[in-house]
Amino acid sequence: MATITENLNKIWSEFRKVGITDDLVVIEYLARLLLEKVLDISIDTMVLIGRTPTNNKVMGFLTDHPPQKILPSEPSSIDIPHIDTTNIVSMSTLPRHPQDIPNLNLQSIQENLDNAINQAENIPNLYNHHILFRLSTRQSGGRYPTPRHITKFIYNLAQVKPDHSLADFACGSGGFLVERELTVDNYHKTWGIDISPEWIRLAYTNIALRKLPPLLRSGNALDVETFNKLKFKQKEYTIFDRILMNPPFGEKIDTKLAVGKLGKTVGSRSETALTTLAIQQLAEDGIAAILVPSGLLFSNSKAEKELRQTLIDEYHLKAVLTLPKDALQPYSSLQSHILLIHKIPPLLRGVRGDSPLTGEKMTWFFQLEKDGYSSGRSRDLTQKPNESDSNFPFVESVFNRQKDEFDYSFLDSHPKLGIKIFKNNENQLLGVVIQGLETTEINSITFYPQVKIQQDKQDKIIPPFLLVDTIPIENQKLCIRIPLDENQPDIVKNPLQLIQDLFKPKKNDPDPGYRLYSTAVKEIAIAIYPDTIITKESIRVLGVLIPSKQIIDKNYDLRPEEYINKQTETLLSNSPVELLTRIYTNQRQLTQNLETLFSRIELPPISTQKLPSPIAETFIPFGQLNPQQQDIWDKIQSQTQPYTNDEGENYKIALHFIPQDIEIEDNGEISDTTQRTLELLDAMGVIIPVTIDNKLYYRRVTQRDLWTNSD
């Protein structure tokens, strides 16, 4: 029997035969055919009198009332179905029908579609997980169906409950909206907005296939009029308990429209404006989970920086999660991140937080490495992810168990620690979360591998373990061993003696441990990949919990890599004298290597060169620049200054400039075009990046930068 993919390939082939090659068009036609298998769609006869029909009547929703009978005393008994306003939809809301396409073999398409349905779990699953992902590339406006393992992950992080109101202001194909189990009790609390009528039709299908009337609006979410249309049976929906969104990245917005809706300037980038909209439309105690690009986390542009300050100062930024680099492939190679934002009720502001002692707001920073799919564009999103090769289950468990009691706690000691152990349904170890309680902070965590020892003349296997060391409090510190098996953690009085007894290192041997973390932190999440034997390659620090004050001290930088220190080299257990001797020896070797290199290179004597150095006029971009790139290059060429040296020679010297100095649009922001052009010109070697006082500048290439061959 043919697979789902094989049946869909046959369908696509039929459309190709009649010249229809646009995947999005084919998907829309199939959406209509699937709808007709679930619902009864017809022309609304009430609008046919004297004019062209503009509406459809859609029946078969679970919310439809049963037919009503005319009283028996009437001359005849006929069924009169109850028609709700949600049953009458504009023709432009429904996907187009392929019936009028000349020479299209509709019968073959229907047969293969039925075969695909039989192979899938159900019709909604076929559409949401297979047909939509026949799209091979990102569409205009930065649109693409968000991979469903990502929508599920974000939905679970936001902890959406059945009675919550839920919205997506850039809903696309409706992936976030159908993650919830739609019922007759909550469908009217589930809203989607998208600026593209084409994608609204796809989202309509995704919800309607579940036999519930979709509540969607086609329009700009930044337009006040669009929000005025969010009504159901006279109830207006303007704020929501949960807002989930994957906005288009880097798209230009109508800045005047944004100011009218948001009440302030938010720049010109779509992700900044839509994230601002989301937090403004959050209900008290609501949560927003939003995908954003890297620039929003650290950009110095006014709009992005103000947004980050708002998230930290006025809201509770629960988490920033960096997704694996290929998580959005094959549609986007951009590194993407999830912001998990909580709107704290007014009465609890300044009181509620993650710190049980002070109530201070704390933020989790995660760097995820695996999502259950292979890397690159070849990943097959129609298949379910391999959860044993994904960090998502562990991270979801960390948030789900935030209010749970510790599996193990050391409260009688001072400092104090709490430990949670996470396992999957197969009882495999997923990871460990270690938390310093009260004023305790974790100082370091070291991994030690499995070792075989002799005990009572018999071999004994000691399982791998973590050694957790705290920062001293009143000259006391705590060291805990956490076995990575079924054994319980215990206090280690003398860590050095423990390592000596287990591993018996010789005098100059490196410490068998592998330092996972060595910076003071309140709470830390360590992931463990399932393996036969746990090694340092299968254990990772994924996340740390950081107080808001530390984020403010870093100028509101939200990049997880600023807070998560990567694994370092193996520790040494040698004495200070031996360590200094090794450092001295290594420095001697480095000096010898440098002397060897310099003996082979001869820089032009500085006394023979003009200072300051003239611009190397021959270094210009090669190839054909597009008009925008050419405008930027013209501005860079103006970043020069005439100079006359002591010999009376006149020439131009290079001035340092920052990206804002050459930005075409005068709005204080750095556009993607400017940033990419700078990267291109840098790669061509016609400009040089330089750092002055920890700030990045650029300048033109000068003659001093050129290497000359002394031969």
Side-chain angles (χ1 to χ4, degrees):
M1 182 176 289
T3 64
I4 295 175
T5 300
E6 290 169 341
N7 282 300
L8 293 180
N9 286 343
K10 293 176 183 178
I11 292 173
W12 253 254
S13 177
E14 293 296 340
F15 281 102
R16 298 286 189 268
K17 289 177 184 178
V18 296
I20 298 176
T21 59
D22 188 328
D23 290 333
L24 198 59
V25 173
V26 176
I27 290 171
E28 185 173 342
Y29 285 140
L30 294 183
R32 179 58 178 267
L33 296 179
L34 289 174
L35 277 178
E36 293 187 345
K37 295 179 183 297
V38 175
L39 301 170
D40 179 18
I41 301 171
S42 61
I43 300 291
D44 179 18
T45 56
M46 291 186 292
V47 302
L48 285 178
I49 302 174
R51 55 183 172 140
T52 303
T54 57
N55 292 327
N56 283 106
K57 181 174 68 176
V58 183
M59 297 299 296
F61 291 126
L62 297 175
T63 53
D64 294 344
H65 292 276
Q68 299 174 351
K69 298 280 187 180
I70 293 179
L71 294 176
S73 58
E74 296 292 333
S76 63
S77 179
I78 58 174
D79 291 343
I80 303 177
H82 172 82
I83 305 292
D84 197 288
T85 55
T86 53
N87 294 90
I88 306 300
V89 299
S90 167
M91 284 187 167
S92 62
T93 300
L94 289 174
R96 293 171 291 174
H97 202 293
Q99 60 190 4
D100 296 326
I101 300 174
N103 302 318
L104 181 67
N105 190 343
L106 197 54
Q107 180 180 350
S108 173
I109 290 172
Q110 291 280 21
E111 290 175 356
N112 285 295
L113 193 57
D114 288 337
N115 292 336
I117 292 171
N118 291 332
Q119 291 293 310
E121 296 174 8
N122 49 57
I123 291 178
N125 180 66
L126 174 66
Y127 178 75
N128 190 46
H129 290 275
H130 293 272
I131 290 177
L132 285 171
F133 288 93
R134 297 288 294 196
L135 279 176
S136 57
T137 58
R138 182 169 50 181
Q139 304 295 297
S140 61
R143 294 179 181 84
Y144 57 90
T146 306
R148 295 314 186 225
H149 69 300
I150 302 293
T151 60
K152 179 182 178 183
F153 180 54
I154 291 176
Y155 182 89
N156 290 340
L157 289 178
Q159 299 177 339
V160 183
K161 296 180 181 178
D163 61 337
H164 282 154
S165 56
L166 171 67
D168 182 352
F169 302 145
C171 69
S173 63
F176 285 117
L177 304 179
V178 298
E179 278 298 334
R180 85 181 315 173
E181 185 179 349
L182 289 163
T183 69
V184 293
D185 297 320
N186 67 20
Y187 81 96
H188 62 279
K189 296 181 178 182
T190 308
W191 291 87
I193 300 174
D194 201 278
I195 200 170
S196 166
E198 195 171 31
W199 283 82
I200 279 290
R201 293 196 289 268
L202 300 182
Y204 183 95
T205 302
N206 215 354
I207 296 174
L209 288 175
R210 288 154 174 80
K211 303 195 73 173
L212 288 162
L215 298 178
L216 306 171
R217 295 295 179 265
S218 177
N220 192 330
L222 297 171
D223 188 343
V224 174
E225 290 302 315
T226 303
F227 265 84
N228 289 341
K229 299 175 183 176
L230 302 186
K231 295 180 181 179
F232 181 80
K233 293 184 178 180
Q234 305 306 313
K235 180 178 180 180
E236 295 186 2
Y237 283 86
T238 56
I239 60 173
F240 300 89
D241 299 313
R242 297 292 185 270
I243 298 174
L244 314 179
M245 190 165 43
N246 177 14
F249 295 170
E251 295 297 314
K252 295 296 181 184
I253 63 165
D254 185 330
T255 53
K256 291 183 179 179
L257 197 66
V259 170
K261 173 62 182 171
L262 303 174
K264 62 179 180 179
T265 302
V266 291
S268 62
R269 297 178 66 90
S270 52
E271 66 272 12
T272 307
L274 288 170
T275 301
T276 303
L277 174 66
I279 61 176
Q280 287 189 2
Q281 305 304 139
L282 264 185
E284 301 295 345
D285 213 20
I287 291 176
I290 305 168
L291 275 166
V292 299
S294 297
L296 193 143
L297 303 185
F298 70 91
S299 171
N300 284 323
S301 66
K302 184 173 182 290
E304 277 77 22
K305 190 169 184 179
E306 286 183 353
L307 175 57
R308 295 197 301 273
Q309 290 175 331
T310 299
L311 293 177
I312 297 300
D313 296 344
E314 301 179 25
Y315 291 78
H316 177 197
L317 183 59
K318 292 174 66 70
V320 181
L321 305 99
T322 295
L323 292 175
K325 64 182 181 67
D326 288 328
L328 298 180
Q329 288 280 30
Y331 306 113
S332 175
S333 59
L334 290 177
Q335 182 76 69
S336 301
H337 317 264
I338 301 169
L339 300 182
L340 194 63
I341 307 157
H342 177 213
K343 186 174 183 179
I344 304 174
L347 293 177
L348 295 176
R349 288 174 192 168
V351 177
R352 179 186 289 187
D354 293 288
S355 173
L357 187 66
T358 64
E360 182 179 14
K361 291 186 291 187
M362 309 281 283
T363 299
W364 273 106
F365 287 92
F366 279 93
Q367 282 185 304
L368 308 185
E369 297 179 346
K370 298 186 177 185
D371 65 349
Y373 288 97
S374 61
S375 59
R377 289 180 53 84
S378 61
R379 49 176 49 198
D380 183 0
L381 295 177
T382 65
Q383 301 299 313
K384 293 182 179 180
N386 176 10
E387 293 201 347
S388 66
D389 195 34
S390 172
N391 299 136
F392 290 5
F394 171 56
V395 175
E396 287 177 21
S397 299
V398 171
F399 284 94
N400 290 337
R401 290 189 57 192
Q402 277 187 310
K403 297 180 181 180
D404 290 0
E405 294 184 358
F406 294 106
D407 296 314
Y408 305 98
S409 56
F410 297 86
L411 305 178
D412 296 333
S413 58
H414 192 62
K416 307 176 187 293
L417 281 177
I419 299 167
K420 293 177 183 177
I421 307 295
F422 297 84
K423 296 182 179 181
N424 61 18
N425 293 333
E426 286 74 42
N427 205 37
Q428 293 175 310
L429 188 62
L430 291 178
V432 180
V433 168
I434 308 162
Q435 180 180 335
L437 305 177
E438 297 180 357
T439 58
T440 301
E441 288 187 304
I442 299 163
N443 184 45
S444 67
I445 300 177
T446 308
F447 167 76
Y448 287 90
Q450 176 177 296
V451 63
K452 183 192 295 185
I453 65 171
Q454 281 280 327
Q455 192 175 71
D456 298 329
K457 297 183 180 181
Q458 292 184 343
D459 289 341
K460 181 180 180 181
I461 300 296
I462 302 297
F465 61 91
L466 299 176
L467 211 55
V468 183
D469 200 25
T470 68
I471 289 179
I473 298 178
E474 298 176 357
N475 295 323
Q476 296 184 44
K477 69 176 184 176
L478 180 65
C479 184
I480 300 293
R481 174 173 58 176
I482 305 176
L484 301 179
D485 64 354
E486 301 296 330
N487 292 316
Q488 295 187 9
D490 59 341
I491 296 176
V492 177
K493 298 287 188 183
N494 189 337
L496 291 178
Q497 187 61 50
L498 172 68
I499 302 307
Q500 184 65 42
D501 292 343
L502 293 179
F503 296 94
K504 296 180 171 49
K506 297 179 181 178
K507 183 176 182 181
N508 293 321
D509 285 348
D511 189 305
Y514 182 65
R515 179 64 58 87
L516 293 174
Y517 207 77
S518 56
T519 303
V521 68
K522 193 69 179 175
E523 190 168 353
I524 191 165
I526 299 172
I528 299 168
Y529 299 124
D531 208 340
T532 305
I533 299 177
I534 299 175
T535 65
K536 68 179 183 180
E537 285 76 24
S538 56
I539 188 165
R540 291 286 187 276
V541 172
L542 277 197
V544 294
L545 191 66
I546 301 296
S548 57
K549 182 181 182 302
Q550 189 173 335
I551 300 171
I552 295 170
D553 290 343
K554 281 187 172 286
N555 200 25
Y556 296 93
D557 194 320
L558 298 183
R559 289 175 291 182
E561 61 263 32
E562 290 294 311
Y563 304 95
I564 302 175
N565 292 331
K566 288 293 185 180
Q567 286 89 336
T568 60
E569 68 276 1
T570 303
L571 299 174
L572 298 177
S573 59
N574 306 71
S575 69
V577 173
E578 291 171 321
L579 290 174
L580 289 172
T581 301
R582 284 198 178 193
I583 292 171
Y584 177 72
T585 302
N586 291 337
Q587 285 181 326
R588 288 283 301 269
Q589 184 63 49
L590 176 61
T591 302
Q592 292 175 4
N593 293 340
L594 288 173
E595 289 173 350
T596 301
L597 287 173
F598 277 119
S599 70
R600 300 174 184 173
I601 299 173
E602 184 178 346
L603 288 171
I606 196 168
S607 60
T608 65
Q609 296 193 14
K610 299 176 183 177
L611 293 177
S613 182
I615 288 175
E617 298 286 359
T618 57
F619 274 67
I620 59 175
F622 52 85
Q624 185 70 38
L625 299 178
N626 66 36
Q628 288 179 307
Q629 292 170 335
Q630 186 62 51
D631 289 343
I632 293 170
W633 172 243
D634 291 341
K635 281 203 167 191
I636 291 175
Q637 287 183 296
S638 69
Q639 301 296 318
T640 60
Q641 178 178 305
Y643 183 79
T644 304
N645 64 12
D646 294 340
E647 285 74 32
E649 294 180 277
N650 297 317
Y651 55 87
K652 291 181 180 179
I653 62 174
L655 296 178
H656 294 101
F657 63 88
I658 58 176
Q660 287 89 337
D661 295 333
I662 58 167
E663 179 59 58
I664 301 299
E665 299 180 15
D666 188 18
N667 57 11
E669 297 185 350
I670 306 171
S671 67
D672 283 346
T673 301
T674 300
Q675 191 61 50
R676 292 193 191 104
T677 302
L678 286 172
E679 293 170 359
L680 174 66
L681 297 176
D682 180 15
M684 288 183 177
V686 297
I687 62 172
I688 291 178
V690 292
T691 301
I692 302 174
D693 292 333
N694 293 322
K695 188 172 182 180
L696 178 64
Y697 292 82
Y698 294 87
R699 64 168 171 80
R700 295 273 304 277
V701 173
T702 69
Q703 293 180 7
R704 177 65 182 165
D705 299 315
L706 308 181
W707 290 85
T708 59
N709 192 336
S710 58
D711 296 335

